[in-house]
Amino acid sequence: MEKKNLKHDDCRNFAAVDAAKGICRKSNTMIFTDTETCEQLVSIPKCKNCSHFIDENKDRIGTCAGLEKNSWTYGELLAVTCEGYHSNK
Amino acid sequence: MRNGEKIMEILSQKGLPGKNHKEGGMTQREVKKEPKERTKYLRDIYYDTLSTSNVEFPYWYTRKWNELDGEISVIRRAEALKCAFSHLTPTIYPKEKLVMQKTNYYRGSFPMPWLSEGFFVAKEDELYQEALNRGSASADELSKFGTGGGNVTQSFGKVVSIAGKFGMRQEEIPVLTKLSREWVGKSVEDLGHKYEQMVPNYQIKENIMKTLICMFDSGYTLPQGREVINYYYPLQYGFDQIIEMAEECKQAVAGNAGGDGITGMDRLYFYEAVKLVVEGMQNWILNYAKEAERLSKETEEDKQKKEYEEIADCLKWIAHHQPRTFREALQMIYTLHIAVLNEDAISGLSPGRVGQVLYPWFEQDMEAGKITEEEVLELLELYRVKMTCIDCFASTGVVGGVLSGNTFNNLSLGGLTKEGNSAANRLEMLILEAGMTCESTQPTLSILYDEKLPEEFLLKGIECNKTGVGYPAWMNNQIGVQFLMGQYGEEGMDLKEARSIAIGGCLETSPCCWKELTLNGKTYSIPGGAGQPTSVGVHFIANPKILELVLTNGYDHRTNIQVYPPHNKALKSYEELWETFQDYYRITCDCLAKTNNIQHDVWRKNNMSVINSFMKPDCLDKGLHIGNMGYRYNATYNIESCGTANMVNSLAAIKKLVYEEKKYTLEALKEAMLNNFGFQNAEETGSYSMKDQVKLEGTTAFDDIYNDCVKAPKYGNDDPYADSILKAYEDWFCEMTHDFESLFGKKMYPCQISVSTHGAQGRATLASPDGRLSGTTYADGSVSAYPGTDKYGPYALFNSATVWDHAKSQNSQMNMKIHPSAVAGFEGSRKLLDLTRAYLRKGGFHIQYNIVDSKVLKDAQQKPENYRDLMVRVAGFTQYWCEIGRPIQDEVIARTEYEGV
């Protein structure tokens, strides 16, 4: 995935505080979510990064085929706790 | 009367209370303390945090729910909850000791479309248009949020404002819409709407909601709340033992009705549901433990690394066992608290008498030298920050119009032990201290005042009041106990049990019980909640609005709706007017009680509580959840009123001017009210306070009648003329509520608080015969005087307020604003305590103080950016000034400011 499409909340080192900002654990500073990310970005599990996420539509909604029963899901859903997550990298 | 003048100037010229605030510079608060460095860091983050919602929890809940179509409802719900809890993303912030929160955001919340899905879909969506046609939409229109603090009142960047308060990431909006569509026709709101239409006179209910005579439906907005949680079972047994007990109980009841042909067989499913939700909570806690371990590995700084390890150890232990230390016990009760808040939309989930619940761990840790009071104080401060971060997602009308964004987690202090001795302890002194060092809105504090409480403890409460934070509120323990025995005696409440009393929500007397807790071989009796929510029933009825419709033959001139059937009476006597008022009131209660019963019935069938249920006695013993009356006390549904002082003053004016002096006809009075006595509407002036209302140019026709209405007798002056009307109303209202029955077959009872509804309901009300102008805010509380009308000091007000028996009602509400100079120094503290005692000894149930200079509030209204941390007491709760809507801000400023006590 190109860096230009990433936000800080795509990074494992970002502790989201609210819908607009969060704490960068590397710099220990408050940063805005939608500003440019840095080279230290570590990809956080999200459905969009999972190999079981298929058929994504214009609203970034697709299908999860990684759990017992298939269901719709959305690319931005955090998958840190998902037992079926499998990185597509 | 000259035109174009503001009303306060007009009143002052006529020798009536006008400018009632001291001139000169601003007086700052006498008591000001600072939190620990760690607390300050985390509280500062809060100050800069936006209220944020996301759809992670509802996504996983809905996915599992959909998978289990056809399953037994309570199992389906428990599985959905387990799935959602198990998938919540953990976030732990630097410097935290107490961890976990509702979502992965600092101040997070989420919609629950299984309760209500209509209001948060896009405005152009047909669902939204359909929702607008429902009566409940009126509360949204007339409710205002504060524009500061964490409220996201407008969309910006990639953040979308929802319900005027919550920010949501733009990319989640299509998901929210998709989720909401999946619940159309299935939510409590939709199913309730379907069946409540079968109630005779349903159209009257719709009219009542559209005209804001009633503020909201409780069944699908806030189905639980204003109750006291009970942490006992996890604190006593730990989660692993609860699962073991559930398994044993399942074996005992499987296929066995136990003599109960209706709910006996349900016990099996309930115990299975308990096991499922506990497993979900364990997964949730352990996911945080894993995150703490991950962060520990990633962190290079030694101190922070060690703290993450301590967090992981704490969480891994409490996920399975009884807490060993004070810190673990505090973490556990906080975790349980937000677990219940994630289970359902709840406001007013009160933690109860936390200082007594946690005392066993405090006592033993202190004796063993495991912790110091300074360390306890820091933990209590951190607890305040975490509790303040709690938000409740609901519609604008509910979160803004009723709650002012508050969540009412009321912590009770003092009261008596089971044996009748003072229950105040050293830990409660530290809780009060933390309330001063870490000023924050949650948990708000209430002292259960009893003559047996030690002076040192009471003065500590007064010292806290003098910080200006608006807490603790003072509740009359003996009056509360009397109310509990009267309302719950039929369900077995006795005096010893009643002494376990705590306040749920703002100031709702709630039924509790004692349980025996054993820690390291020592046994303690600890109090905790044992009753259904008291946020349920008929909420809130606008008393002045009903009186207005009596005068207009049931027709609402603001919306042009014939609300009630025309009474077509000439109203030739005061008695006939009063009887007609009672008739309309009964019609209101009847249709609202029935329709809300249906909503709650749908709720208990499809959306019942499992987590809150298993924690409260006696669900685990009976094998029954809340919907099957598993709780020990179930007669909690009530009828809430608002605007009592304005109604009383209006009746006094009508009685005197129309019926006794015959100076004006009722028709002339009605005409004056419809013309707002010749003033601009509050919407036009942009202020909801009387002090800012402006006379219309060229209009003098109503000057005389207005002068007489303003001068008519007013409640709050120890004047029997007005006070006897209050007494007659209370004697009638308190009994009348018993005529209505909850879905549990129990008699209802009166609840008399305003929360923030006096703002929105005031906006929906024409000018009233007491001289209050159209659209302006009502008097707050239920026995507070209307601002500026109490002219003879607090003791005269106390005499007026206590002409009726407060033990007949769940509560009464007295808010008082005092200038800081009036209670300065130790002598001032003694005076304030004496004042408090005087009211409570007279039989008042509740009093609370804003000890603040009104000039500070005015300055804060002009320059909110300078007052992010300013808090005020509204009506049963403390809230950040900048997060309160303008109608309520205006009302707090206008309250009579006592300069001497």
Side-chain angles (χ1 to χ4, degrees):
Chain A
M1 189 175 292
E2 290 182 44
K3 182 169 170 285
K4 67 180 179 183
N5 291 329
L6 296 176
K7 310 180 298 297
H8 285 291
D9 66 3
D10 286 308
C11 177
R12 203 73 166 99
N13 295 315
F14 181 77
V17 169
D18 61 31
K21 61 186 176 295
I23 297 169
C24 171
R25 296 189 193 276
K26 288 294 176 188
S27 64
N28 207 24
T29 56
M30 192 72 78
I31 54 175
F32 288 107
T33 309
D34 295 305
T35 54
E36 192 174 348
T37 56
C38 73
E39 297 301 323
Q40 295 186 69
L41 185 142
V42 178
S43 186
I44 195 168
K46 284 187 176 182
C47 286
K48 67 183 180 184
N49 302 327
C50 177
S51 58
H52 300 302
F53 182 57
I54 55 176
D55 302 333
E56 185 180 10
N57 70 15
K58 64 178 175 51
D59 286 330
R60 316 296 301 273
I61 291 172
T63 299
C64 165
L67 296 176
E68 194 177 337
K69 292 181 182 175
N70 285 9
S71 173
W72 67 268
T73 187
Y74 56 105
E76 289 296 324
L77 179 65
L78 285 162
V80 171
T81 57
C82 181
E83 57 275 31
Y85 179 78
H86 185 266
S87 173
N88 58 12
K89 297 284 162 52
Chain B
M1 195 182 290
R2 292 191 298 276
N3 297 330
E5 286 182 307
K6 287 194 175 181
I7 192 164
M8 296 310 272
E9 292 161 13
I10 295 169
L11 293 177
S12 292
Q13 288 162 14
K14 296 188 173 298
L16 293 166
K19 295 170 184 171
N20 55 2
H21 299 144
K22 284 177 100 168
E23 300 299 329
M26 287 186 281
T27 304
Q28 298 304 320
R29 296 173 289 174
E30 179 186 342
V31 178
K32 180 73 180 169
K33 297 188 177 186
E34 290 295 324
K36 309 279 187 197
E37 179 274 334
R38 182 194 303 273
T39 312
K40 185 173 185 312
Y41 171 82
L42 292 165
R43 193 181 59 173
D44 284 349
I45 292 177
Y46 172 82
Y47 284 151
D48 199 29
T49 297
L50 301 173
S51 180
T52 297
S53 284
N54 67 353
V55 292
E56 186 177 59
F57 192 102
Y59 169 77
W60 287 108
Y61 183 98
T62 303
R63 179 168 177 168
K64 180 56 74 175
W65 179 271
N66 288 341
E67 284 178 12
L68 296 176
D69 187 19
E71 177 58 275
I72 300 283
S73 290
V74 69
I75 300 295
R76 193 177 183 187
R77 173 134 168 89
E79 288 275 18
L81 288 167
K82 178 182 177 182
C83 181
F85 274 103
S86 301
H87 288 95
L88 280 174
T89 302
T91 310
I92 297 172
Y93 298 94
K95 299 196 182 191
E96 283 194 314
K97 276 190 175 177
L98 205 58
V99 296
M100 303 180 71
Q101 54 274 330
K102 290 184 71 172
T103 73
N104 61 317
Y105 290 108
Y106 202 67
R107 189 183 174 181
S109 61
F110 51 86
M112 296 185 181
W114 43 93
L115 284 177
S116 170
E117 85 295 342
F119 67 86
F120 48 72
V121 294
K123 283 193 176 183
E124 63 273 23
D125 193 290
E126 60 182 9
L127 294 172
Y128 184 84
Q129 295 303 324
E130 197 272 337
L132 274 183
N133 288 326
R134 293 190 187 172
S136 54
S138 296
D140 292 354
E141 290 168 28
L142 296 181
S143 299
K144 286 211 168 193
F145 276 113
T147 53
N151 292 342
V152 183
T153 52
Q154 289 187 323
S155 302
F156 65 93
K158 293 189 175 177
V159 178
V160 175
S161 169
I162 298 180
K165 175 180 172 66
F166 307 95
M168 182 177 278
R169 295 287 306 173
Q170 190 181 52
E171 52 269 26
E172 294 198 42
I173 297 299
V175 185
L176 176 63
T177 307
K178 186 171 175 60
L179 279 170
S180 68
R181 284 184 182 282
E182 296 198 359
W183 288 96
V184 171
K186 302 173 190 170
S187 68
V188 177
E189 178 184 18
D190 288 356
L191 279 172
H193 186 64
K194 175 181 173 184
Y195 290 103
E196 66 180 322
Q197 292 178 77
M198 299 175 188
V199 170
N201 295 326
Y202 173 76
Q203 189 55 46
I204 296 178
K205 187 258 181 175
E206 281 291 310
N207 295 343
I208 285 170
M209 302 307 292
K210 285 175 182 169
T211 51
L212 223 59
I213 293 166
C214 177
M215 197 67 198
F216 70 100
D217 288 309
S218 58
Y220 61 87
T221 51
L222 301 167
Q224 297 186 79
R226 299 200 212 152
E227 62 188 282
V228 181
I229 196 171
N230 199 317
Y231 306 118
Y232 170 74
Y233 289 102
L235 285 176
Q236 169 69 14
Y237 300 105
F239 287 128
D240 282 357
Q241 273 198 54
I242 291 173
I243 289 177
E244 285 172 24
M245 286 190 285
E247 288 290 0
E248 286 172 17
C249 289
K250 274 167 56 186
Q251 291 180 26
V253 302
N256 178 2
D260 179 352
I262 298 173
T263 59
M265 294 296 287
D266 283 351
R267 295 177 299 171
L268 173 65
Y269 316 126
F270 175 66
Y271 286 126
E272 173 67 4
V274 170
K275 183 177 84 75
L276 290 167
V277 295
V278 170
E279 288 170 349
M281 291 162 68
Q282 288 181 311
N283 292 340
W284 179 45
I285 297 167
L286 291 171
N287 282 337
Y288 268 88
K290 278 184 213 161
E291 175 67 359
E293 286 175 333
R294 185 189 75 83
L295 291 170
S296 177
K297 286 178 191 156
E298 298 277 323
T299 305
E300 293 175 2
E301 202 266 305
D302 286 344
K303 187 181 172 200
Q304 181 66 75
K305 191 180 190 70
K306 185 168 178 295
E307 287 184 358
Y308 285 137
E309 286 169 6
E310 288 170 356
I311 290 167
D313 288 345
C314 172
L315 294 177
K316 283 194 287 187
W317 182 266
I318 67 162
H320 298 284
H321 309 294
Q322 181 188 47
R324 298 164 296 189
T325 64
F326 177 79
R327 176 176 173 176
E328 287 177 356
L330 184 64
Q331 176 68 63
M332 179 175 260
I333 67 160
Y334 166 69
T335 300
L336 291 166
H337 206 84
I338 52 172
V340 171
L341 292 173
N342 272 5
E343 180 188 37
D344 214 351
I346 300 177
S347 84
L349 184 69
S350 292
R353 290 157 72 166
V354 167
Q356 293 160 38
V357 171
L358 295 185
Y359 189 74
W361 288 270
F362 172 76
E363 181 189 64
Q364 295 194 12
D365 279 11
M366 289 296 291
E367 282 178 5
K370 288 182 181 173
I371 200 165
T372 65
E373 287 203 351
E374 283 302 305
E375 289 168 332
V376 171
L377 183 62
E378 182 183 64
L379 285 169
L380 292 172
E381 288 178 354
L382 296 174
Y383 173 65
R384 293 198 64 82
V385 175
K386 294 300 278 187
M387 295 293 277
T388 298
C389 286
I390 293 172
D391 260 345
C392 173
F393 190 98
S395 66
T396 307
V398 173
V399 182
V402 180
L403 312 180
S404 272
N406 203 279
T407 51
F408 317 102
N409 304 274
N410 196 342
L411 190 156
S412 296
L413 302 152
L416 297 180
T417 63
K418 191 176 182 179
E419 294 74 30
N421 299 316
S422 165
N425 63 37
R426 181 64 196 163
L427 181 55
E428 293 194 324
M429 294 286 276
L430 293 174
I431 289 172
L432 283 164
E433 182 68 16
M436 289 186 271
T437 56
C438 180
E439 296 175 357
S440 56
T441 55
Q442 303 292 332
T444 192
L445 305 176
S446 291
I447 288 182
L448 301 167
Y449 175 84
D450 196 279
E451 295 289 331
K452 289 189 175 180
L453 293 178
E455 201 77 353
E456 180 192 16
F457 176 74
L458 297 173
L459 284 168
K460 188 79 175 173
I462 292 291
E463 183 191 2
C464 190
N465 281 143
K466 287 171 66 173
T467 61
V469 292
Y471 54 73
W474 298 80
M475 276 71 169
N476 190 326
N477 197 52
Q478 294 298 327
I479 294 287
V481 164
Q482 284 179 47
F483 168 77
L484 287 176
M485 291 178 66
Q487 180 64 22
Y488 302 104
E490 290 175 8
E491 294 185 89
M493 177 75 76
D494 62 17
L495 178 60
K496 280 192 174 178
E497 184 103 313
R499 287 177 182 148
S500 61
I501 177 177
I503 304 301
C506 300
L507 55 155
E508 287 86 335
T509 308
S510 295
C512 299
C513 70
W514 303 101
K515 296 294 281 185
E516 300 297 307
L517 184 134
T518 307
L519 183 66
N520 297 320
K522 188 171 177 182
T523 302
Y524 304 79
S525 272
I526 63 168
Q532 297 250 2
T534 77
S535 63
V536 284
V538 178
H539 297 175
F540 291 70
I541 297 183
N543 288 359
K545 186 74 187 173
I546 292 185
L547 180 59
E548 173 192 310
L549 293 189
V550 170
L551 301 180
T552 59
N553 206 17
Y555 185 81
D556 181 49
H557 286 261
R558 186 182 70 88
T559 57
N560 297 318
I561 293 173
Q562 182 68 43
V563 179
Y564 300 110
H567 55 71
N568 294 327
K569 294 177 183 172
L571 303 175
K572 287 184 176 172
S573 66
Y574 178 78
E575 287 69 29
E576 190 179 28
L577 175 94
W578 174 233
E579 284 168 11
T580 309
F581 174 84
Q582 291 174 312
D583 289 344
Y584 273 180
Y585 215 108
R586 281 197 193 91
I587 290 171
T588 308
C589 293
D590 183 59
C591 64
L592 290 172
K594 285 174 179 169
T595 51
N596 272 277
N597 277 347
I598 287 173
Q599 290 168 15
H600 282 283
D601 194 43
V602 171
W603 175 84
R604 74 168 167 171
K605 285 179 168 64
N606 291 348
N607 203 73
M608 71 292 282
S609 160
V610 184
I611 298 175
N612 206 12
S613 280
F614 92 75
M615 287 166 58
K616 271 197 194 180
D618 298 304
C619 288
L620 279 179
D621 295 297
K622 296 178 184 172
L624 301 176
H625 59 70
I626 174 175
N628 284 340
M629 294 172 70
Y631 288 165
R632 191 172 299 182
Y633 301 107
N634 296 283
T636 62
Y637 280 58
N638 54 34
I639 294 177
E640 287 191 340
S641 59
C642 176
T644 297
N646 293 100
M647 175 207 69
V648 167
N649 290 343
S650 294
L651 285 169
I654 296 171
K655 188 177 183 185
K656 187 171 183 63
L657 299 175
V658 176
Y659 294 110
E660 289 182 359
E661 296 180 354
K662 300 186 190 305
K663 197 167 179 181
Y664 305 98
T665 64
L666 212 50
E667 196 57 34
L669 177 63
K670 189 177 91 175
E671 191 64 19
M673 288 164 53
L674 289 172
N675 285 281
N676 198 24
F677 295 108
F679 283 79
Q680 281 184 1
N681 190 283
E683 302 299 327
E684 294 164 337
T685 63
S687 168
Y688 307 92
S689 171
M690 284 290 287
K691 70 181 174 58
D692 295 327
Q693 301 312 303
V694 177
K695 190 82 168 45
L696 284 170
E697 294 289 339
T699 307
T700 57
F702 307 105
D703 286 6
D704 289 342
I705 192 169
Y706 187 62
N707 287 341
D708 286 327
C709 285
V710 170
K711 286 181 178 174
K714 296 286 186 284
Y715 159 79
N717 296 296
D718 197 13
D719 176 356
Y721 195 94
D723 297 348
S724 62
I725 291 173
L726 172 68
K727 184 173 188 313
Y729 163 75
E730 292 289 355
D731 288 349
W732 167 76
F733 180 63
C734 292
E735 290 300 316
M736 180 276 298
T737 56
H738 296 162
D739 296 340
F740 299 93
E741 184 184 70
S742 75
L743 71 156
F744 295 117
K746 306 290 183 187
K747 65 180 180 184
M748 296 173 81
Y749 57 88
C751 174
Q752 304 191 65
I753 58 175
S754 67
V755 197
S756 301
T757 60
H758 54 303
Q761 293 190 309
R763 287 184 72 190
T765 306
L766 297 177
S768 41
D770 58 340
R772 183 198 133 272
L773 294 176
S774 177
T776 58
T777 305
Y778 296 160
D780 65 276
S782 63
V783 288
S784 304
Y786 186 60
T789 61
D790 43 339
K791 296 180 283 187
Y792 299 105
Y795 290 93
L797 176 59
F798 292 171
N799 284 343
S800 293
T802 52
V803 292
W804 61 284
D805 179 5
H806 291 208
K808 293 196 300 186
S809 176
Q810 185 187 22
N811 41 35
S812 63
Q813 188 168 30
M814 169 76 79
N815 298 318
M816 189 168 281
K817 192 165 73 176
I818 297 175
H819 194 274
S821 62
V823 291
F826 183 71
E827 187 188 351
S829 297
R830 299 271 356 162
K831 280 184 185 173
L832 188 57
L833 181 54
D834 288 346
L835 184 80
T836 307
R837 274 201 171 113
Y839 182 60
L840 300 178
R841 281 175 176 167
K842 273 185 170 293
F845 172 70
H846 157 274
I847 189 164
Q848 61 190 18
Y849 301 108
N850 267 310
I851 299 177
V852 62
D853 185 341
S854 296
K855 289 189 283 298
V856 172
L857 303 181
K858 287 178 188 170
D859 195 52
Q861 206 170 42
Q862 298 301 316
K863 302 169 208 161
E865 66 278 8
N866 295 342
Y867 291 91
R868 176 61 185 90
D869 59 349
L870 176 65
M871 300 190 295
V872 292
R873 194 74 178 175
V874 181
F877 62 97
T878 289
Q879 181 57 301
Y880 289 107
W881 178 258
C882 58
E883 298 198 2
I884 298 171
R886 179 70 189 250
I888 300 299
Q889 283 187 353
D890 287 341
E891 181 270 312
V892 174
I893 288 174
R895 286 178 194 172
T896 304
E897 180 179 280
Y898 287 102
E899 293 166 5
V901 295

